[in-house]
Amino acid sequence: MRTQIAIIGAGPSGLLLGQLLHGQGIDTVILENRSADYVLGRIRAGVIEQGMVGLLEEAGVAARLHGEGLVHGGTEITFDDTRHRIDFKKLTGKTVTVYGQTEITRDLMEARAASGAPTIYEAQDVTPLDFDGEKPRVRYRKDGKDHELACDFIAGCDGFHGVSRQSVPAGSIELFERVYPFGWLGILSDTPPVSDELIYINHERGFALCSMRSHTRSRYYLQCSLAEHVEDWSDSRFWDELKLRLDKEGRERLVTGASIEKSIAPLRSFVAEPMRFGRLFLAGDAAHIVPPTGAKGLNLAASDVHYLSRALVEFYREKSSAGIDHYSGRALARIWKAERFSWWMTTMLHRFPESSGFDRRLQHAELDYLVSSSAAAVAMAENYVGLPY
Ligand SMILES: Cc1cc2nc3c(=O)[nH]c(=O)nc-3n(C[C@H](O)[C@H](O)[C@H](O)COP(=O)(O)OP(=O)(O)OC[C@H]3O[C@@H](n4cnc5c(N)ncnc54)[C@H](O)[C@@H]3O)c2cc1C
């Protein structure tokens, strides 16, 4: 089998890249090691920057997002039991859209199926080969048989645990990492959200986030110790703890109900440099991870795909390798700004087990500055709604 671009991974990065390239007449084959249902079952991101909305429009998959997505013009920050609103729309002229990653993935999968472009699910032992030469290929097993896919380029869109980054010789890649000493216990419930906008809470018992997927589906998170087990958190224990961290209005308005998903996620900052190795490119979580506090993971995956898709189109249309030569540098410049913002939000809002009285006073001063200085609020809003591509 032969294609122009072999894409490893059918998460949002791989599917969006496939759709954008298909729109430009470039052939792709996507190899995914899980089933389509498994990929759709993962509950993840939900806050989408305008830049990503534009890419989904370009890919022809934004109709449902525009019909069902919730446009948010701001967010709320709570500390000392008091809420403060950061007005994105007023400060930057931009908004964000709340629309679940699961729905984006479903829209992309349906568009790909309709286009007839191939996605091979449950492909085992996917292995990128010879990407340092002119004739890369990807080997995989499917239904007990070995296959080989010859291609011009390989796009490693296979997430943090994927095979693409691991296939790069250790001496050719540099890894930067910070692991945070806590996780997020998340719950999804078919209950109306406690507020029209997200509420970020700094509380002495730990951080909490009130988020949502729709007018009837809520997503809440609690900062928790990494030693916690999700089985020890009954729904009622979760709601009781959330109420302790909410302000008075939130406690009164909170509607509780049975959870439909509950999980603990560790928090990590991670970047792999560079993002190009000959004819292999990394995109999305395969190259970087941010703690979800800044709502940047999915949006960064989209910005990588923006740079990579344009670089590949330029390569085929204009016979120019300028775009692919600059892909890594362009993507990393934006990634590190999002890494900084996500680290800053995480540091400002969470309780760190080792923090001293001095650290906590500084954290309070940072929050106070954010809500009392228009320059600080603009800087936060600008990063939250997304820096330009
Ligand atoms: C629990 C959780 C909560 C999150 N919450 C948020 C949030 O609130 N906001 C936010 O912005 N971001 C959030 N993120 C991050 C966001 O979901 C990711 O940034 C996004 O999924 C990245 O997309 P991706 O396509 O690059 O990677 P992935 O979504 O990880 O997709 C990679 C795909 O590659 C496949 N794959 C892996 N290995 C192989 C292999 N060897 N061969 C073939 N296929 C393979 C995987 O099965 C997967 O389908 C969250 C992530 C997690 C884990």
Side-chain angles (χ1 to χ4, degrees):
M1 198 165 37
R2 190 171 207 297
T3 188
Q4 288 173 295
I5 317 293
I7 299 176
I8 306 180
S13 308
L15 288 166
L16 181 57
L17 179 65
Q19 213 48 33
L20 290 171
L21 293 178
H22 178 78
Q24 298 295 323
I26 298 173
D27 287 340
T28 61
V29 173
I30 300 184
L31 299 168
E32 162 64 49
N33 67 353
R34 302 289 195 156
S35 68
D37 284 346
Y38 181 92
V39 173
L40 280 174
R42 290 188 295 223
I43 308 295
R44 291 185 168 181
V47 177
I48 313 302
E49 295 172 1
Q50 275 186 13
M52 180 165 187
V53 171
L55 282 182
L56 294 169
E57 284 167 353
E58 188 183 325
V61 293
R64 214 156 60 88
L65 176 143
H66 285 308
E68 297 172 23
L70 309 176
V71 175
H72 284 195
T75 194
E76 294 193 287
I77 308 276
T78 299
F79 62 101
D80 294 343
D81 230 24
T82 308
R83 272 195 225 177
H84 305 265
R85 184 163 188 269
I86 308 288
D87 190 329
F88 301 151
K89 181 86 180 153
K90 194 172 100 195
L91 295 167
T92 69
K94 290 191 192 166
T95 56
V96 290
T97 303
V98 171
Y99 185 67
Q101 177 169 336
T102 314
E103 305 310 317
I104 292 176
T105 308
R106 187 185 304 281
D107 295 341
L108 284 163
M109 276 181 179
E110 284 175 5
R112 185 161 180 93
S115 75
T119 307
I120 299 167
Y121 287 99
E122 300 181 81
Q124 302 306 310
D125 302 329
V126 176
T127 313
L129 296 166
D130 298 340
F131 48 83
D132 49 351
E134 292 290 304
K135 293 185 175 169
R137 60 209 163 90
V138 184
R139 191 183 294 150
Y140 64 97
R141 276 181 82 72
K142 171 80 182 164
D143 300 330
K145 286 197 191 117
D146 289 330
H147 300 266
E148 216 168 80
L149 176 63
C151 55
D152 298 336
F153 297 99
I154 303 170
C157 301
D158 47 353
F160 183 64
H161 300 287
V163 66
S164 301
R165 192 182 68 250
Q166 289 163 24
S167 304
V168 175
S172 309
I173 191 165
E174 202 174 352
L175 308 178
F176 302 88
E177 185 172 44
R178 169 157 302 179
V179 178
Y180 298 86
F182 40 72
W184 279 16
L185 170 65
I187 205 173
L188 190 71
S189 64
D190 277 331
T191 53
V194 67
S195 172
D196 290 342
E197 293 177 341
L198 274 69
I199 310 175
Y200 287 85
I201 302 163
N202 174 299
H203 192 276
E204 63 189 21
R205 296 182 65 87
F207 167 79
L209 172 61
C210 304
S211 183
M212 71 284 287
R213 292 293 178 266
S214 69
H215 289 305
T216 54
R217 182 166 283 189
S218 299
R219 182 79 165 148
Y220 295 102
Y221 297 99
L222 295 173
Q223 176 185 348
C224 67
S225 150
L226 287 170
E228 292 287 352
H229 298 285
V230 75
E231 310 77 57
D232 296 335
W233 283 84
S234 63
D235 290 354
S236 59
R237 183 178 172 204
F238 184 96
W239 295 121
D240 289 347
E241 182 61 37
L242 179 61
K243 279 183 198 160
L244 291 174
R245 301 186 194 187
L246 276 168
D247 64 334
K248 185 166 176 292
E249 186 191 344
R251 273 192 297 278
E252 286 168 3
R253 290 196 52 177
L254 181 70
V255 180
T256 64
S259 65
I260 51 176
E261 195 265 356
K262 206 187 286 163
S263 52
I264 294 180
L267 267 66
R268 179 195 307 270
S269 299
F270 171 86
V271 181
E273 291 187 3
M275 290 167 62
R276 178 196 178 186
F277 309 89
R279 287 181 171 250
L280 168 69
F281 302 96
L282 301 181
D285 279 17
H288 44 76
I289 296 287
V290 283
T293 330
K296 288 284 159 263
L298 179 59
N299 291 299
L300 274 185
S303 62
D304 291 353
V305 166
H306 163 84
Y307 296 122
L308 185 55
S309 59
R310 273 148 183 77
L312 291 168
V313 170
E314 192 178 310
F315 178 85
Y316 286 110
R317 284 250 177 91
E318 296 165 29
K319 311 266 179 280
S320 161
S321 62
I324 57 176
D325 291 342
H326 289 112
Y327 165 66
S328 181
R330 280 184 183 140
L332 283 164
R334 195 171 189 280
I335 288 159
W336 275 111
K337 290 189 190 94
E339 290 284 347
R340 186 206 67 81
F341 177 66
S342 304
W343 161 84
W344 174 75
M345 286 278 284
T346 305
T347 308
M348 179 176 66
L349 289 165
H350 290 74
R351 289 287 148 144
F352 285 69
E354 75 278 11
S355 69
S356 63
F358 180 83
D359 297 329
R360 282 195 291 277
R361 289 286 191 286
L362 279 188
Q363 193 185 55
H364 191 273
E366 184 85 47
L367 285 160
D368 206 11
Y369 179 54
L370 172 65
V371 300
S372 56
S373 153
S374 51
V378 169
M380 187 247 172
E382 219 171 48
N383 281 278
Y384 197 95
V385 299
L387 298 174
Y389 290 166

PDB file of all heavy atoms in Angstrom, residues 177-194:
ATOM      1  N   GLU A 177      10.656  18.297  31.105  1.00  0.00           N
ATOM      2  CA  GLU A 177       9.479  17.803  31.831  1.00  0.00           C
ATOM      3  C   GLU A 177       9.372  18.370  33.237  1.00  0.00           C
ATOM      4  O   GLU A 177      10.375  18.582  33.912  1.00  0.00           O
ATOM      5  CB  GLU A 177       9.558  16.276  31.925  1.00  0.00           C
ATOM      6  CG  GLU A 177       8.325  15.655  32.564  1.00  0.00           C
ATOM      7  CD  GLU A 177       8.325  14.138  32.464  1.00  0.00           C
ATOM      8  OE1 GLU A 177       9.386  13.544  32.718  1.00  0.00           O
ATOM      9  OE2 GLU A 177       7.267  13.574  32.145  1.00  0.00           O
ATOM     10  N   ARG A 178       8.140  18.666  33.653  1.00  0.00           N
ATOM     11  CA  ARG A 178       7.852  18.947  35.061  1.00  0.00           C
ATOM     12  C   ARG A 178       6.604  18.156  35.442  1.00  0.00           C
ATOM     13  O   ARG A 178       5.571  18.263  34.771  1.00  0.00           O
ATOM     14  CB  ARG A 178       7.604  20.438  35.277  1.00  0.00           C
ATOM     15  CG  ARG A 178       7.034  20.724  36.652  1.00  0.00           C
ATOM     16  CD  ARG A 178       7.277  22.128  37.117  1.00  0.00           C
ATOM     17  NE  ARG A 178       8.700  22.437  37.140  1.00  0.00           N
ATOM     18  CZ  ARG A 178       9.185  23.629  37.491  1.00  0.00           C
ATOM     19  NH1 ARG A 178       8.384  24.597  37.836  1.00  0.00           N
ATOM     20  NH2 ARG A 178      10.485  23.853  37.469  1.00  0.00           N
ATOM     21  N   VAL A 179       6.708  17.366  36.513  1.00  0.00           N
ATOM     22  CA  VAL A 179       5.556  16.597  36.991  1.00  0.00           C
ATOM     23  C   VAL A 179       5.066  17.281  38.268  1.00  0.00           C
ATOM     24  O   VAL A 179       5.873  17.615  39.132  1.00  0.00           O
ATOM     25  CB  VAL A 179       5.953  15.131  37.263  1.00  0.00           C
ATOM     26  CG1 VAL A 179       4.767  14.347  37.817  1.00  0.00           C
ATOM     27  CG2 VAL A 179       6.462  14.476  35.974  1.00  0.00           C
ATOM     28  N   TYR A 180       3.769  17.544  38.362  1.00  0.00           N
ATOM     29  CA  TYR A 180       3.216  18.273  39.514  1.00  0.00           C
ATOM     30  C   TYR A 180       2.827  17.285  40.611  1.00  0.00           C
ATOM     31  O   TYR A 180       2.405  16.152  40.309  1.00  0.00           O
ATOM     32  CB  TYR A 180       2.010  19.116  39.070  1.00  0.00           C
ATOM     33  CG  TYR A 180       2.413  20.151  38.039  1.00  0.00           C
ATOM     34  CD1 TYR A 180       2.462  19.830  36.680  1.00  0.00           C
ATOM     35  CD2 TYR A 180       2.818  21.418  38.431  1.00  0.00           C
ATOM     36  CE1 TYR A 180       2.881  20.759  35.735  1.00  0.00           C
ATOM     37  CE2 TYR A 180       3.241  22.358  37.485  1.00  0.00           C
ATOM     38  CZ  TYR A 180       3.267  22.025  36.146  1.00  0.00           C
ATOM     39  OH  TYR A 180       3.697  22.936  35.216  1.00  0.00           O
ATOM     40  N   PRO A 181       2.932  17.711  41.882  1.00  0.00           N
ATOM     41  CA  PRO A 181       2.701  16.769  42.988  1.00  0.00           C
ATOM     42  C   PRO A 181       1.224  16.598  43.344  1.00  0.00           C
ATOM     43  O   PRO A 181       0.866  16.543  44.517  1.00  0.00           O
ATOM     44  CB  PRO A 181       3.489  17.414  44.138  1.00  0.00           C
ATOM     45  CG  PRO A 181       3.429  18.879  43.844  1.00  0.00           C
ATOM     46  CD  PRO A 181       3.379  19.031  42.357  1.00  0.00           C
ATOM     47  N   PHE A 182       0.344  16.590  42.362  1.00  0.00           N
ATOM     48  CA  PHE A 182      -1.094  16.375  42.589  1.00  0.00           C
ATOM     49  C   PHE A 182      -1.757  16.004  41.267  1.00  0.00           C
ATOM     50  O   PHE A 182      -1.126  16.074  40.205  1.00  0.00           O
ATOM     51  CB  PHE A 182      -1.765  17.641  43.174  1.00  0.00           C
ATOM     52  CG  PHE A 182      -1.283  18.930  42.570  1.00  0.00           C
ATOM     53  CD1 PHE A 182      -1.635  19.287  41.278  1.00  0.00           C
ATOM     54  CD2 PHE A 182      -0.453  19.789  43.283  1.00  0.00           C
ATOM     55  CE1 PHE A 182      -1.177  20.466  40.704  1.00  0.00           C
ATOM     56  CE2 PHE A 182       0.010  20.985  42.720  1.00  0.00           C
ATOM     57  CZ  PHE A 182      -0.359  21.320  41.427  1.00  0.00           C
ATOM     58  N   GLY A 183      -3.019  15.604  41.349  1.00  0.00           N
ATOM     59  CA  GLY A 183      -3.776  15.278  40.139  1.00  0.00           C
ATOM     60  C   GLY A 183      -5.132  15.969  40.165  1.00  0.00           C
ATOM     61  O   GLY A 183      -5.422  16.746  41.089  1.00  0.00           O
ATOM     62  N   TRP A 184      -5.945  15.704  39.150  1.00  0.00           N
ATOM     63  CA  TRP A 184      -7.320  16.204  39.102  1.00  0.00           C
ATOM     64  C   TRP A 184      -8.269  15.004  39.118  1.00  0.00           C
ATOM     65  O   TRP A 184      -8.150  14.097  38.273  1.00  0.00           O
ATOM     66  CB  TRP A 184      -7.576  16.964  37.814  1.00  0.00           C
ATOM     67  CG  TRP A 184      -7.104  18.375  37.781  1.00  0.00           C
ATOM     68  CD1 TRP A 184      -6.208  18.983  38.628  1.00  0.00           C
ATOM     69  CD2 TRP A 184      -7.499  19.373  36.823  1.00  0.00           C
ATOM     70  NE1 TRP A 184      -6.019  20.282  38.252  1.00  0.00           N
ATOM     71  CE2 TRP A 184      -6.793  20.562  37.154  1.00  0.00           C
ATOM     72  CE3 TRP A 184      -8.351  19.385  35.729  1.00  0.00           C
ATOM     73  CZ2 TRP A 184      -6.945  21.736  36.415  1.00  0.00           C
ATOM     74  CZ3 TRP A 184      -8.492  20.545  34.994  1.00  0.00           C
ATOM     75  CH2 TRP A 184      -7.806  21.719  35.339  1.00  0.00           C
ATOM     76  N   LEU A 185      -9.172  15.047  40.083  1.00  0.00           N
ATOM     77  CA  LEU A 185     -10.266  14.072  40.116  1.00  0.00           C
ATOM     78  C   LEU A 185     -11.431  14.708  39.368  1.00  0.00           C
ATOM     79  O   LEU A 185     -11.906  15.780  39.769  1.00  0.00           O
ATOM     80  CB  LEU A 185     -10.633  13.788  41.581  1.00  0.00           C
ATOM     81  CG  LEU A 185     -11.900  12.991  41.842  1.00  0.00           C
ATOM     82  CD1 LEU A 185     -11.775  11.567  41.307  1.00  0.00           C
ATOM     83  CD2 LEU A 185     -12.183  12.943  43.347  1.00  0.00           C
ATOM     84  N   GLY A 186     -11.838  14.105  38.263  1.00  0.00           N
ATOM     85  CA  GLY A 186     -12.874  14.707  37.414  1.00  0.00           C
ATOM     86  C   GLY A 186     -14.161  13.901  37.440  1.00  0.00           C
ATOM     87  O   GLY A 186     -14.142  12.669  37.570  1.00  0.00           O
ATOM     88  N   ILE A 187     -15.277  14.591  37.335  1.00  0.00           N
ATOM     89  CA  ILE A 187     -16.585  13.934  37.294  1.00  0.00           C
ATOM     90  C   ILE A 187     -17.388  14.551  36.140  1.00  0.00           C
ATOM     91  O   ILE A 187     -17.285  15.757  35.892  1.00  0.00           O
ATOM     92  CB  ILE A 187     -17.304  14.127  38.656  1.00  0.00           C
ATOM     93  CG1 ILE A 187     -18.312  13.044  38.946  1.00  0.00           C
ATOM     94  CG2 ILE A 187     -17.959  15.446  38.782  1.00  0.00           C
ATOM     95  CD1 ILE A 187     -18.886  13.154  40.364  1.00  0.00           C
ATOM     96  N   LEU A 188     -18.115  13.716  35.435  1.00  0.00           N
ATOM     97  CA  LEU A 188     -19.026  14.195  34.388  1.00  0.00           C
ATOM     98  C   LEU A 188     -20.430  13.810  34.831  1.00  0.00           C
ATOM     99  O   LEU A 188     -20.651  12.670  35.256  1.00  0.00           O
ATOM    100  CB  LEU A 188     -18.672  13.502  33.068  1.00  0.00           C
ATOM    101  CG  LEU A 188     -19.327  14.011  31.793  1.00  0.00           C
ATOM    102  CD1 LEU A 188     -18.772  15.389  31.399  1.00  0.00           C
ATOM    103  CD2 LEU A 188     -19.067  13.040  30.628  1.00  0.00           C
ATOM    104  N   SER A 189     -21.373  14.748  34.759  1.00  0.00           N
ATOM    105  CA  SER A 189     -22.734  14.416  35.210  1.00  0.00           C
ATOM    106  C   SER A 189     -23.766  15.119  34.338  1.00  0.00           C
ATOM    107  O   SER A 189     -23.509  16.232  33.852  1.00  0.00           O
ATOM    108  CB  SER A 189     -22.926  14.827  36.672  1.00  0.00           C
ATOM    109  OG  SER A 189     -22.829  16.226  36.791  1.00  0.00           O
ATOM    110  N   ASP A 190     -24.900  14.467  34.175  1.00  0.00           N
ATOM    111  CA  ASP A 190     -25.977  15.103  33.416  1.00  0.00           C
ATOM    112  C   ASP A 190     -26.795  15.989  34.337  1.00  0.00           C
ATOM    113  O   ASP A 190     -27.943  15.701  34.690  1.00  0.00           O
ATOM    114  CB  ASP A 190     -26.822  14.035  32.707  1.00  0.00           C
ATOM    115  CG  ASP A 190     -26.175  13.611  31.394  1.00  0.00           C
ATOM    116  OD1 ASP A 190     -25.461  14.463  30.796  1.00  0.00           O
ATOM    117  OD2 ASP A 190     -26.316  12.452  30.987  1.00  0.00           O
ATOM    118  N   THR A 191     -26.147  17.079  34.744  1.00  0.00           N
ATOM    119  CA  THR A 191     -26.780  18.088  35.601  1.00  0.00           C
ATOM    120  C   THR A 191     -26.473  19.459  34.990  1.00  0.00           C
ATOM    121  O   THR A 191     -25.437  19.618  34.338  1.00  0.00           O
ATOM    122  CB  THR A 191     -26.179  18.049  37.024  1.00  0.00           C
ATOM    123  OG1 THR A 191     -24.740  18.145  36.914  1.00  0.00           O
ATOM    124  CG2 THR A 191     -26.536  16.772  37.756  1.00  0.00           C
ATOM    125  N   PRO A 192     -27.347  20.452  35.186  1.00  0.00           N
ATOM    126  CA  PRO A 192     -27.046  21.780  34.614  1.00  0.00           C
ATOM    127  C   PRO A 192     -25.821  22.392  35.296  1.00  0.00           C
ATOM    128  O   PRO A 192     -25.657  22.231  36.510  1.00  0.00           O
ATOM    129  CB  PRO A 192     -28.312  22.593  34.905  1.00  0.00           C
ATOM    130  CG  PRO A 192     -29.062  21.837  35.930  1.00  0.00           C
ATOM    131  CD  PRO A 192     -28.652  20.409  35.859  1.00  0.00           C
ATOM    132  N   PRO A 193     -24.948  23.089  34.544  1.00  0.00           N
ATOM    133  CA  PRO A 193     -23.754  23.686  35.152  1.00  0.00           C
ATOM    134  C   PRO A 193     -24.118  24.692  36.246  1.00  0.00           C
ATOM    135  O   PRO A 193     -25.160  25.334  36.182  1.00  0.00           O
ATOM    136  CB  PRO A 193     -23.081  24.391  33.978  1.00  0.00           C
ATOM    137  CG  PRO A 193     -23.709  23.847  32.749  1.00  0.00           C
ATOM    138  CD  PRO A 193     -25.055  23.347  33.105  1.00  0.00           C
ATOM    139  N   VAL A 194     -23.228  24.818  37.215  1.00  0.00           N
ATOM    140  CA  VAL A 194     -23.478  25.708  38.352  1.00  0.00           C
ATOM    141  C   VAL A 194     -23.444  27.177  37.932  1.00  0.00           C
ATOM    142  O   VAL A 194     -24.003  28.046  38.614  1.00  0.00           O
ATOM    143  CB  VAL A 194     -22.460  25.420  39.480  1.00  0.00           C
ATOM    144  CG1 VAL A 194     -21.048  25.804  39.066  1.00  0.00           C
ATOM    145  CG2 VAL A 194     -22.838  26.091  40.782  1.00  0.00           C
TER     146      VAL A 194
END
